Every structure is written in C-alpha cells, then in structure tokens.
Amino acid sequence: LKLQIRMNLKTRSVDLRTCDETEDMAALQKASEFVKAFLLGFDIDDALALLRMDELYIESFEVKDVKTLKGDHLARAVGRIAGKDGKVKYTIENASKTRIVLADTWIHVLGSHKNIKVARDSICALIMGSPPGKVFNNLRVVAKRLSERL
C-alpha cells in the first residue's frame, strides 16, 4: 500500500500516513480497516482479505444491544452463540460465509452486507432464546436461497 506506519507508544495508538509513493488514496482507509480488524481479534488472513476485496465490512454490536441481560444470563447468551467447542459459531460462519469474533460481550462480524445480515439475525435469535436447531434450519434455508441467487 506504500504507507508510513508507526506505533506511538506514548498514546498507545497506530499512526498511518500517506507518503510521496502512495498511489491510491483509498489505501489509507483500507489500512485503517486492516489494523482495526486485527485489533478486534480476526485472524491475519481474514484481516488481509479486507485489503484484497472491496465488498467486505466489519459490523460490531454488543449482546446488550439485542436484549438487556445481566450476570449469568449474559454469560449463558454468549455461551449459546459459541456453542459446545465453538460448533454453533462455526456453523453460522460457514452457512453465512462470514467470520465471527466473540470478545466478551461484543460480537464482531466480517463479511459482505447480505452475509453479515444473515449472521446477525442468527446471532440475535440465539440471544433471544431460540434453540440452536431452529436457528440452523433457518440458516440452511437462507443459505440455500443466497446460493440460488448466484
């Protein structure tokens, strides 16, 4: 991208600047999204996909944005999203073609707009208390419909 990047230790921030060799002015925005994705907890390969593809976005929301939960109920809702050994999370990722990071009560989703909506709707259904089997059936139907459009 031909940018100048430095880590400012006093302010604990990453500084990005263009230079004389920078050809694309959108490179600064792409680099910013890459650093943000990496800091949110996405794999380096997923964050690199943001640089290579134009139609990828990150959406973040908190479990409390969907439903007001406290204490054990909040922990249970996050556990329902993850599932046993991460099975529910991986199923949502594979069916919606997105990447999901669970960071405490924050949920970060990386993908295209349509795919993020599918994943977000599934996650919201789990938070609201739907059984994972019902969410999987809905995901299967929506994923089939999305694949038919292509």
Side-chain angles (χ1 to χ4, degrees):
L1 297 175
K2 298 181 182 173
L3 295 171
Q4 294 179 351
I5 302 171
R6 71 174 183 183
M7 176 70 186
N8 191 338
L9 295 176
K10 288 185 180 177
T11 61
R12 296 182 54 129
S13 63
V14 177
D15 297 336
L16 301 168
R17 287 194 303 199
T18 59
C19 62
D20 297 336
E21 299 160 8
T22 306
E23 298 160 359
D24 186 16
M25 286 302 157
L28 196 60
Q29 179 65 33
K30 284 186 174 188
S32 171
E33 289 175 359
F34 168 79
V35 172
K36 179 182 174 190
F38 184 72
L39 292 176
L40 287 176
F42 289 101
D43 288 339
I44 194 77
D45 295 332
D46 296 334
L48 281 173
L50 279 169
L51 296 176
R52 294 190 181 107
M53 299 175 68
D54 290 333
E55 296 299 316
L56 286 182
Y57 305 96
I58 298 174
E59 183 173 319
S60 299
F61 62 95
E62 199 170 3
V63 173
K64 293 176 185 175
D65 295 341
V66 178
K67 186 176 184 182
T68 306
L69 298 170
K70 293 180 182 161
D72 288 343
H73 299 294
L74 181 62
R76 195 174 303 117
V78 173
R80 289 168 53 82
I81 297 166
K84 185 176 181 181
D85 297 326
K87 181 182 175 232
V88 174
K89 180 186 143 205
Y90 290 128
T91 303
I92 294 172
E93 284 181 345
N94 293 332
S96 63
K97 297 178 182 153
T98 58
R99 292 288 170 253
I100 299 170
V101 170
L102 298 173
D104 196 24
T105 61
W106 281 91
I107 301 160
H108 310 289
V109 185
L110 170 74
S112 68
H113 277 299
K114 288 180 186 176
N115 295 345
I116 286 176
K117 184 180 181 337
V118 170
R120 187 183 63 225
D121 291 344
S122 300
I123 292 169
C124 290
L126 286 169
I127 293 170
M128 295 302 287
S130 293
K134 186 174 182 180
V135 172
F136 293 162
N137 286 335
N138 291 343
L139 263 175
R140 194 175 304 121
V141 170
V142 171
K144 190 175 185 182
R145 201 176 315 140
L146 281 176
S147 66
E148 287 174 358
R149 287 185 188 170
L150 301 175

